Amino acid sequence: DTAYAVLRDLSGAGTLEVACGGGEPFAFPGFGDLIARLYDESPLALNVTTNGTLIDAAMWKRYSGRLGQVRVSLYGDRAWRRCGEVFRGDGQKWGANILVDDEALATLEATLGELAKAGCDDVSLLNYVGEPDRVLSAHGRRRLAGILSASPIPCRVSVCFGNSLGVPRLMAGAGNEGNCGAGSDFLTVTPDQKVQACSFQNHCLPGATAAEILR
Protein backbone atom coordinates (compact mmCIF):
# COMPACT_ATOMS: atom_id res chain seq x y z
CA ASP A 1 0.00 0.00 0.00
CA THR A 2 2.80 2.44 0.82
CA ALA A 3 4.64 1.69 -2.42
CA TYR A 4 1.43 2.19 -4.37
CA ALA A 5 0.71 5.52 -2.63
CA VAL A 6 4.22 6.84 -3.35
CA LEU A 7 4.09 5.84 -7.02
CA ARG A 8 0.54 7.15 -7.45
CA ASP A 9 1.57 10.54 -6.10
CA LEU A 10 4.76 10.63 -8.19
CA SER A 11 2.64 9.85 -11.24
CA GLY A 12 0.39 12.74 -10.34
CA ALA A 13 3.47 14.98 -10.22
CA GLY A 14 4.46 14.00 -13.77
CA THR A 15 6.48 10.80 -13.43
CA LEU A 16 6.00 8.65 -16.53
CA GLU A 17 7.60 5.32 -15.71
CA VAL A 18 8.58 3.04 -12.87
CA ALA A 19 11.23 0.37 -13.46
CA CYS A 20 11.24 -2.13 -10.59
CA GLY A 21 14.55 -3.71 -9.63
CA GLY A 22 16.22 -3.74 -6.24
CA GLY A 23 17.67 -7.23 -6.07
CA GLU A 24 14.93 -9.57 -7.27
CA PRO A 25 11.53 -7.84 -7.37
CA PHE A 26 9.55 -11.05 -7.91
CA ALA A 27 10.77 -12.24 -4.50
CA PHE A 28 8.98 -9.40 -2.67
CA PRO A 29 5.64 -10.44 -1.11
CA GLY A 30 2.80 -8.55 -2.76
CA PHE A 31 4.80 -7.50 -5.82
CA GLY A 32 2.22 -9.02 -8.17
CA ASP A 33 -0.57 -7.15 -6.38
CA LEU A 34 1.38 -3.89 -6.69
CA ILE A 35 1.89 -4.33 -10.44
CA ALA A 36 -1.77 -5.21 -10.95
CA ARG A 37 -2.95 -2.17 -9.01
CA LEU A 38 -0.58 0.21 -10.78
CA TYR A 39 -1.64 -1.19 -14.15
CA ASP A 40 -5.33 -0.83 -13.34
CA GLU A 41 -5.27 2.49 -11.48
CA SER A 42 -2.36 4.58 -12.82
CA PRO A 43 -1.01 5.73 -16.20
CA LEU A 44 2.57 4.71 -15.29
CA ALA A 45 4.59 2.68 -17.77
CA LEU A 46 5.63 -0.45 -15.86
CA ASN A 47 8.95 -2.21 -16.45
CA VAL A 48 10.99 -4.64 -14.39
CA THR A 49 14.55 -5.95 -14.12
CA THR A 50 14.99 -9.52 -12.88
CA ASN A 51 17.59 -12.26 -12.63
CA GLY A 52 14.94 -14.62 -13.98
CA THR A 53 15.32 -17.37 -11.40
CA LEU A 54 11.71 -17.17 -10.19
CA ILE A 55 10.04 -16.88 -13.60
CA ASP A 56 8.08 -19.76 -15.07
CA ALA A 57 4.93 -20.06 -17.15
CA ALA A 58 2.63 -20.58 -14.16
CA MET A 59 3.67 -17.51 -12.15
CA TRP A 60 3.88 -15.33 -15.25
CA LYS A 61 0.14 -15.50 -15.96
CA ARG A 62 -0.64 -12.72 -13.47
CA TYR A 63 1.88 -10.39 -15.15
CA SER A 64 0.88 -11.10 -18.74
CA GLY A 65 0.20 -7.92 -20.70
CA ARG A 66 0.99 -5.60 -17.80
CA LEU A 67 4.69 -4.87 -18.32
CA GLY A 68 6.20 -2.84 -21.13
CA GLN A 69 9.57 -4.56 -21.09
CA VAL A 70 11.28 -7.09 -18.85
CA ARG A 71 15.05 -6.84 -18.58
CA VAL A 72 16.85 -10.02 -17.54
CA SER A 73 20.25 -9.59 -15.89
CA LEU A 74 22.68 -12.34 -16.92
CA TYR A 75 25.06 -13.62 -14.27
CA GLY A 76 26.64 -16.59 -16.03
CA ASP A 77 23.75 -18.96 -15.31
CA ARG A 78 21.08 -20.16 -17.70
CA ALA A 79 17.95 -18.81 -16.00
CA TRP A 80 17.45 -16.47 -18.94
CA ARG A 81 16.81 -19.41 -21.28
CA ARG A 82 13.61 -20.36 -19.43
CA CYS A 83 12.61 -16.68 -19.36
CA GLY A 84 13.03 -16.51 -23.12
CA GLU A 85 10.71 -19.46 -23.60
CA VAL A 86 8.08 -17.99 -21.26
CA PHE A 87 8.25 -14.54 -22.84
CA ARG A 88 8.16 -15.89 -26.40
CA GLY A 89 5.02 -17.88 -25.57
CA ASP A 90 3.39 -14.77 -24.09
CA GLY A 91 4.53 -12.22 -26.66
CA GLN A 92 6.36 -10.30 -23.91
CA LYS A 93 9.01 -7.81 -25.01
CA TRP A 94 12.29 -8.47 -23.21
CA GLY A 95 15.92 -7.46 -23.16
CA ALA A 96 19.11 -8.57 -21.44
CA ASN A 97 21.57 -6.73 -19.20
CA ILE A 98 25.20 -7.87 -19.20
CA LEU A 99 27.97 -6.49 -16.99
CA VAL A 100 31.18 -6.44 -19.01
CA ASP A 101 34.75 -6.89 -17.82
CA ASP A 102 37.73 -8.46 -19.57
CA GLU A 103 36.76 -11.95 -18.43
CA ALA A 104 33.19 -11.62 -19.74
CA LEU A 105 34.44 -10.85 -23.26
CA ALA A 106 35.49 -14.48 -23.72
CA THR A 107 31.88 -15.63 -23.99
CA LEU A 108 30.11 -12.42 -25.01
CA GLU A 109 29.94 -13.12 -28.76
CA ALA A 110 28.40 -16.54 -28.19
CA THR A 111 25.94 -15.14 -25.64
CA LEU A 112 24.78 -12.42 -28.03
CA GLY A 113 24.14 -15.06 -30.68
CA GLU A 114 22.15 -17.21 -28.26
CA LEU A 115 20.09 -14.25 -27.08
CA ALA A 116 19.25 -13.30 -30.67
CA LYS A 117 18.01 -16.84 -31.38
CA ALA A 118 15.97 -16.83 -28.15
CA GLY A 119 13.97 -13.78 -29.26
CA CYS A 120 15.66 -11.17 -27.06
CA ASP A 121 14.90 -7.67 -28.37
CA ASP A 122 18.11 -5.91 -27.34
CA VAL A 123 21.08 -6.11 -25.01
CA SER A 124 22.35 -3.45 -22.61
CA LEU A 125 26.08 -3.71 -21.95
CA LEU A 126 27.04 -2.19 -18.62
CA ASN A 127 30.45 -1.39 -17.19
CA TYR A 128 31.41 -1.78 -13.57
CA VAL A 129 31.08 1.29 -11.38
CA GLY A 130 32.91 1.37 -8.05
CA GLU A 131 34.97 -1.76 -8.79
CA PRO A 132 38.22 -0.52 -10.41
CA ASP A 133 39.63 -4.05 -10.79
CA ARG A 134 36.75 -5.00 -13.07
CA VAL A 135 36.78 -1.98 -15.38
CA LEU A 136 37.60 -2.92 -18.98
CA SER A 137 41.25 -2.60 -19.97
CA ALA A 138 42.26 -0.67 -23.10
CA HIS A 139 42.58 -3.99 -24.94
CA GLY A 140 39.17 -5.04 -23.64
CA ARG A 141 37.56 -1.83 -24.90
CA ARG A 142 38.98 -2.39 -28.38
CA ARG A 143 37.77 -5.98 -28.34
CA LEU A 144 34.30 -4.93 -27.18
CA ALA A 145 34.07 -2.39 -30.01
CA GLY A 146 34.74 -5.21 -32.49
CA ILE A 147 32.11 -7.44 -30.89
CA LEU A 148 29.56 -4.63 -31.07
CA SER A 149 30.20 -4.05 -34.77
CA ALA A 150 29.45 -7.72 -35.54
CA SER A 151 26.60 -8.27 -33.05
CA PRO A 152 23.56 -10.15 -34.39
CA ILE A 153 21.31 -8.29 -31.94
CA PRO A 154 20.86 -4.56 -31.23
CA CYS A 155 23.14 -3.48 -28.36
CA ARG A 156 23.10 -0.45 -26.11
CA VAL A 157 26.11 0.56 -24.07
CA SER A 158 25.99 2.37 -20.76
CA VAL A 159 26.70 6.09 -20.95
CA CYS A 160 29.20 5.39 -18.15
CA PHE A 161 31.53 4.05 -20.85
CA GLY A 162 31.77 7.59 -22.19
CA ASN A 163 33.58 7.70 -25.54
CA SER A 164 36.12 5.06 -24.48
CA LEU A 165 34.83 2.42 -26.92
CA GLY A 166 35.23 4.50 -30.04
CA VAL A 167 31.91 3.34 -31.51
CA PRO A 168 29.12 5.52 -32.99
CA ARG A 169 26.70 6.78 -30.37
CA LEU A 170 23.12 7.85 -30.81
CA MET A 171 23.55 10.30 -27.94
CA ALA A 172 26.23 11.15 -25.41
CA GLY A 173 24.07 11.17 -22.32
CA ALA A 174 21.66 13.82 -21.09
CA GLY A 175 21.99 16.94 -23.21
CA ASN A 176 24.70 15.15 -25.23
CA GLU A 177 27.13 16.24 -22.52
CA GLY A 178 28.07 12.80 -21.16
CA ASN A 179 25.76 13.03 -18.15
CA CYS A 180 23.67 9.93 -17.50
CA GLY A 181 20.77 11.97 -16.14
CA ALA A 182 20.81 10.42 -12.66
CA GLY A 183 18.93 12.62 -10.22
CA SER A 184 17.33 14.59 -13.04
CA ASP A 185 15.80 12.30 -15.67
CA PHE A 186 15.45 9.47 -13.17
CA LEU A 187 16.25 8.52 -9.59
CA THR A 188 16.26 5.44 -7.42
CA VAL A 189 13.90 4.77 -4.54
CA THR A 190 15.12 1.92 -2.34
CA PRO A 191 12.96 -0.69 -0.53
CA ASP A 192 13.87 0.90 2.83
CA GLN A 193 12.27 4.17 1.68
CA LYS A 194 15.39 6.15 0.79
CA VAL A 195 16.17 8.04 -2.39
CA GLN A 196 19.39 8.16 -4.41
CA ALA A 197 20.45 9.71 -7.70
CA CYS A 198 21.23 6.18 -8.93
CA SER A 199 21.68 2.70 -7.50
CA PHE A 200 25.48 3.01 -7.55
CA GLN A 201 25.39 5.93 -5.14
CA ASN A 202 26.14 5.29 -1.46
CA HIS A 203 24.57 8.46 -0.04
CA CYS A 204 20.81 8.32 0.65
CA LEU A 205 18.16 10.85 1.60
CA PRO A 206 14.69 10.23 3.12
CA GLY A 207 12.20 9.01 0.52
CA ALA A 208 9.19 7.55 2.30
CA THR A 209 6.67 9.78 0.49
CA ALA A 210 6.38 11.39 -2.91
CA ALA A 211 6.79 14.80 -1.26
CA GLU A 212 10.11 13.77 0.31
CA ILE A 213 11.34 12.27 -2.96
CA LEU A 214 10.44 15.38 -4.95
CA ARG A 215 12.00 17.66 -2.36
Side-chain angles (χ1 to χ4, degrees):
D1 290 339
T2 55
Y4 171 78
V6 168
L7 293 169
R8 175 201 61 204
D9 293 346
L10 287 175
S11 176
T15 299
L16 301 177
E17 172 190 4
V18 56
C20 299
E24 179 44 52
F26 292 105
F28 282 86
F31 181 66
D33 295 332
L34 174 63
I35 292 297
R37 191 173 180 189
L38 290 171
Y39 181 82
D40 291 338
E41 301 178 20
S42 86
L44 286 167
L46 305 175
N47 299 300
V48 66
T49 296
T50 173
N51 63 27
T53 56
L54 299 178
I55 291 177
D56 58 37
M59 62 78 68
W60 189 252
K61 292 178 181 179
R62 71 178 313 184
Y63 298 97
S64 179
R66 288 174 166 163
L67 297 168
Q69 187 180 52
V70 179
R71 300 210 65 84
V72 182
S73 297
L74 275 59
Y75 293 106
D77 55 34
R78 289 290 180 261
W80 67 264
R81 291 179 178 274
R82 184 177 65 252
C83 293
E85 293 173 359
V86 172
F87 297 153
R88 184 167 54 245
D90 189 52
Q92 173 65 53
K93 184 178 177 66
W94 69 287
N97 296 341
I98 303 177
L99 276 163
V100 181
D101 59 7
D102 285 344
E103 182 179 344
L105 294 178
T107 57
L108 182 58
E109 289 179 276
T111 299
L112 293 177
E114 291 180 43
L115 286 165
K117 292 178 181 178
C120 182
D121 291 284
D122 64 76
V123 176
S124 292
L125 300 174
L126 314 173
N127 66 329
Y128 282 85
V129 177
E131 297 186 52
D133 293 342
R134 303 199 70 174
V135 173
L136 273 177
S137 64
H139 173 73
R141 291 195 295 271
R142 290 192 296 270
R143 186 176 178 188
L144 178 56
I147 292 172
L148 284 169
S149 67
S151 174
I153 188 172
C155 290
R156 304 184 294 181
V157 296
S158 169
V159 70
C160 297
F161 277 112
N163 60 4
S164 65
L165 299 180
V167 297
R169 294 190 293 172
L170 178 64
M171 60 178 292
N176 279 324
E177 296 177 351
N179 189 311
C180 68
S184 178
D185 289 343
F186 68 90
L187 34 78
T188 296
V189 182
T190 63
D192 58 350
Q193 299 181 320
K194 302 292 177 58
V195 65
Q196 303 165 294
C198 84
S199 58
F200 289 114
Q201 189 179 33
N202 292 323
H203 180 62
C204 299
L205 294 170
T209 66
E212 284 186 331
I213 293 167
L214 292 168
R215 182 166 63 249

